[in-house]
Structures are given as structure tokens and as C-alpha cells.
Amino acid sequence: MTDVPIAFPDPQLSTRDLLRMLLAGRTEPEAADVTVSTRVLPGDDTSRSLPYVRVRTNGSLRDARLNGRASVQISVWHRDEGLAVALATLIEALLLAATSDTIRGFSPVSGPLPTSDPDNGLPLAFTTLTARLRPRLLTP
């Protein structure tokens, strides 16, 4: 006899989808017209649409059959450093209070931290969270 196999969702896509839902309809000025993606910041210096949020995972862990978690980094490019930090702070607060059908919740790790993008000099802020993932039973 074998145990029922357990899988965990893709934390990057799950966080991206949850964040898109959480930011939809927000009225804070820093969140207006925000794009949330898993892709690299698109465009050149004259055509970039800001604000832009990228969700990336820094690796996932499975420490028991039903406990999966992943480190998720949220990078926020904006028109200035203050707006980048404000949006990263809003995103952190929203995610720390959120759950979904694929994510049990989040825990803070670091940030929001202001910086500038080394490739293009744009204002950038990032925050890192741990996503606690919901297990999914696979049919044998």
C-alpha cells in the first residue's frame, strides 16, 4: 500500500494571481495602473509603464508531507523611490492579511527596502515574504 501523493502549487504564479486580485480597485495613488507579472521589467527607458511589480520565488521547501513553503520576493519599480516603497508596503500589508485556495498565508522576511535598479537606475523597492502553501492531494 502507498500513501496518497501530495503536491504544492507554484508559489510564484499563486502569489501573482492573488496580488492581482488584491490590488484590483485599490484607490491609493501609488497603486494606480499597476502591472503585476512574473516577467522581467519590459520596455526601454522611454516606453516603460510604471508602476510595475514582479513576483519571483527564491526557492521552496517541503519540511513535512503537508507543510510546503516558499520564499517570495516582490520587486516594485515606480516613478520615484517614495512611491516604490509605499507600493511595496501596501503589497506587504495586503499579502500578510491574505489567503487563497493555494496559499495558507504569508509571513514577513525582510523589507520593504528602497534601492535603485542596477540595470536602468529606476527607483526600486522590494520585500520578501514566506508563502505557506496549501497541499493538494493527487489522485493515484
Side-chain angles (χ1 to χ4, degrees):
M1 176 166 230
T2 61
D3 289 334
V4 176
I6 307 281
F8 291 95
D10 181 325
Q12 188 170 276
L13 296 179
S14 294
T15 302
R16 178 205 62 192
D17 294 346
L18 176 58
L19 193 50
R20 284 177 176 172
M21 183 194 70
L22 293 171
L23 288 172
R26 297 297 305 187
T27 59
E28 292 85 354
E30 64 271 15
D33 300 319
V34 64
T35 299
V36 179
S37 182
T38 58
R39 296 184 180 176
V40 175
L41 179 68
D44 58 32
D45 290 341
T46 60
S47 68
R48 286 196 178 96
S49 177
L50 299 177
Y52 188 83
V53 174
R54 184 178 72 183
V55 178
R56 301 292 294 175
T57 56
N58 298 331
S60 57
L61 297 166
R62 181 180 184 145
D63 59 7
R65 279 186 41 99
L66 296 176
N67 291 322
R69 64 186 190 277
S71 176
V72 179
Q73 185 176 42
I74 311 292
S75 302
V76 178
W77 287 266
H78 219 308
R79 293 183 305 278
D80 67 40
E81 189 176 277
L83 289 170
V85 170
L87 182 54
T89 300
L90 173 65
I91 287 169
E92 180 186 56
L94 292 172
L95 288 175
L96 288 174
T99 64
S100 74
D101 59 340
T102 57
I103 297 177
R104 290 178 175 181
F106 292 89
S107 301
V109 175
S110 67
L113 302 170
T115 188
S116 59
D117 189 311
D119 295 328
N120 54 35
L122 288 172
L124 171 65
F126 64 91
T127 186
T128 304
L129 305 166
T130 298
R132 294 182 309 281
L133 307 171
R134 288 193 191 277
R136 180 173 52 102
L137 297 175
L138 301 176
T139 54

